[in-house]
Amino acid sequence: MQASVIRTTPFEGQQPGTSGLRKKVASFQQPHYLENFVQAIFDTQTKLAGGSLVLGGDGRFYNREAIQVILRMAAANGVARVLVGKGGILSTPAASCIIRKYQTQGGIVLSASHNPGGPSEDFGIKFNIDAGGPAPASVTNAIYQRTQTIDQYRILDADAVDLDQIGESRLGELVVQVIDPVADYAELMASLFDFNAIQQLFSSGSFRMRFDAMHAVTGPYAVEILERRLGAEPGTVMHGVPLEDFGGGHPDPNLVHAHELVELTSGAQGFDFGAASDGDGDRNMVLGRDFFVTPSDSLAVLAANAQLTPGYKHGISGVARSMPTSQAADRVAEALGVDCFETPTGWKFFGNLLDAGRITLCGEESFGTGSDHVREKDGLWAVLFWLNLIAAKRQSVAEIVHDHWRRFGRNYYTRHDYEGIDSDAAEGLIDHLRILLPSLPGQQLGGTNGGFKVAFADDFAYTDPIDGSVAEQQGIRIGFEGGARIVLRLSGTGTQGATLRVYIEQYEADSARHHLPVQEALAPLILIARELAQIESRTGRAQPDVIT
Ligand code: G16
């Protein structure tokens, strides 16, 4: 077997976004497109030569083809060992777990997360560093810079590796180790949560749940852990077989795309608990009967109750949330006397805080919750955490959250997404807000009677407390006296046009006012945001596409 050196020229736009390089499948299918990006990883991540690499993806269309290319390139670039998930499958949190457990020099995860899959849909690739987490900006910038000057890549001339047999084979000098994608991860979960208590919950007969894997990567993980190890009834996991096009669905666990689960948990006969995960298994949605737990509240509830689980019984060192995530967790941190950090959107910003032991739990409004057990957000972990709390507290999801609000107050919260809007219009909207920012503090918005007085307005910038790196222009924040906030930013994960996200939050201490419909409670602030940002005139959209 021989390595070939193939001449190539740079492609424009191989800049990783919030989480890796995400493009239409057709982009990745262009000759040399994937290869250029992968060679840029090998050229800049020099520890991989002679080292080991974890490789897997969410099973979407083009996953298997891309894995074969990457294996042959790894062989030609001197990687000693690649641990690849059977069938090319590895969830994002499982990849992180395996990188850490086997101390590899990093991992390549193939996923476009919650974006749809299929020949005309999305594909993605991201590099995770040896700590197990998403590459920080210094690494993704170096990879991107390399893609701009690349003129050749190395690839072994070899047949395809059998990805469906567990065991070792060789590709030239490279050892390819096909591993069980679930086993290490399941073992880690069993070490963190009280599996006996959860087993008893399921065997009691008075608690029933459904987990929607959305035909994405978590199916095999959820079947093994929930049904086989914890004894949940067969059929607990819905849409459990990973499909290349996710069954034509949109593997995004929110109230719109996981509506079947919402219906199953509705009404007197509804299931007690519902949960869903996304394409690559790092996101989670948690539902009780007739009850949606916002990801922001979920983080706060987990932080307040962590000591009820074996893995966190000694309490937490601190908590972090992304800037647009509600401030519910801040109140818990204050009560616990631990630090709470506000970071830009993107899991990579939690990495340094986790490595330094400054935080134990972290989360984002975008359905991501996690801890120091790996360096990615982790969908099934969050579901097991909730199951452990339900078993320990012997309360329903709604009771747990209502108790939490009574103790800490409620942060009413919603996110409005305007998807696929014109990119120039979206940039113009944000630029306009940037110009307005200095004039806002002190202004009373939404009418002088009962309006909201602006306490601060800025374009969020973050200085990492561990390495001093600075991230600027991370979203428009408008904070009001009393803690209400409006945040606006453009999504960094889309592949078509721009997506404007508008995040609205208002704190309510009075428990007599904790039961209002969310959109009603936030209506005045929603109106202020629409008018201030001139959303309709600039985007042509009168209503958001998705409300969560
Ligand atoms: C990715 C990141 C998350 C981030 C989210 C935001 O999620 O991993 O940390 O919160 O993007 O997305 P956007 O920029 O669209 O608001 P995922 O699940 O897509 O990898």
Side-chain angles (χ1 to χ4, degrees), residues 342-522:
E342 182 176 45
T343 58
T345 293
W347 204 261
K348 56 181 177 268
F349 292 102
F350 296 135
N352 280 345
L353 295 167
L354 290 164
D355 288 347
R358 300 284 293 274
I359 58 170
T360 306
L361 298 183
C362 42
E364 298 185 284
E365 52 68 37
S366 55
F367 295 86
T369 331
S371 87
D372 57 2
H373 69 292
V374 290
R375 292 296 181 272
E376 289 277 6
K377 55 188 183 277
D378 190 344
L380 257 178
W381 168 91
V383 174
L384 293 168
F385 206 136
W386 269 96
L387 286 171
N388 197 150
L389 293 192
I390 293 165
K393 287 169 111 46
R394 297 170 194 276
Q395 284 182 305
S396 70
V397 172
E399 285 164 349
I400 291 173
V401 178
H402 282 130
D403 275 2
H404 185 91
W405 290 340
R406 267 192 290 281
R407 184 167 165 212
F408 296 99
R410 175 173 184 185
N411 289 69
Y412 276 104
Y413 187 80
T414 189
R415 184 177 104 179
H416 289 198
D417 295 333
Y418 298 81
E419 294 178 342
I421 58 177
D422 179 72
S423 298
D424 290 339
E427 295 290 347
L429 182 149
I430 296 289
D431 287 345
H432 158 73
L433 287 169
R434 285 196 181 113
I435 293 166
L436 281 186
L437 286 173
S439 66
L440 291 178
Q443 277 195 42
Q444 190 86 12
L445 302 180
T448 38
N449 290 329
F452 295 82
K453 189 166 182 188
V454 179
F456 67 91
D458 64 7
D459 191 351
F460 182 60
Y462 175 70
T463 303
D464 186 298
I466 311 301
D467 67 12
S469 58
V470 176
E472 288 176 326
Q473 300 203 324
Q474 297 296 315
I476 304 293
R477 284 195 308 184
I478 302 165
F480 299 92
E481 287 181 358
R485 288 195 317 170
I486 295 171
V487 170
L488 299 103
R489 60 177 282 278
L490 300 181
S491 158
T493 59
T495 55
Q496 230 166 14
T499 294
L500 171 68
R501 303 206 195 283
V502 185
Y503 314 82
I504 312 273
E505 170 182 12
Q506 187 173 5
Y507 180 66
E508 178 59 69
D510 180 1
S511 61
R513 297 184 50 80
H514 283 169
H515 303 276
L516 302 174
V518 176
Q519 301 304 312
E520 186 183 313
L522 296 174

Side-chain angles (χ1 to χ4, degrees), residues 55-60 63-65 67-68 84-90 161-166 178-181 217 242 244:
L55 178 61
D58 62 12
R60 69 178 57 225
N63 192 53
R64 280 178 177 263
E65 290 86 338
I67 285 181
Q68 296 292 349
V84 56
K86 184 177 174 220
I89 292 287
L90 275 182
V161 174
D162 182 356
L163 296 177
D164 297 305
Q165 296 300 325
I166 288 180
V178 177
I179 59 170
D180 177 342
V217 79
E244 287 198 331

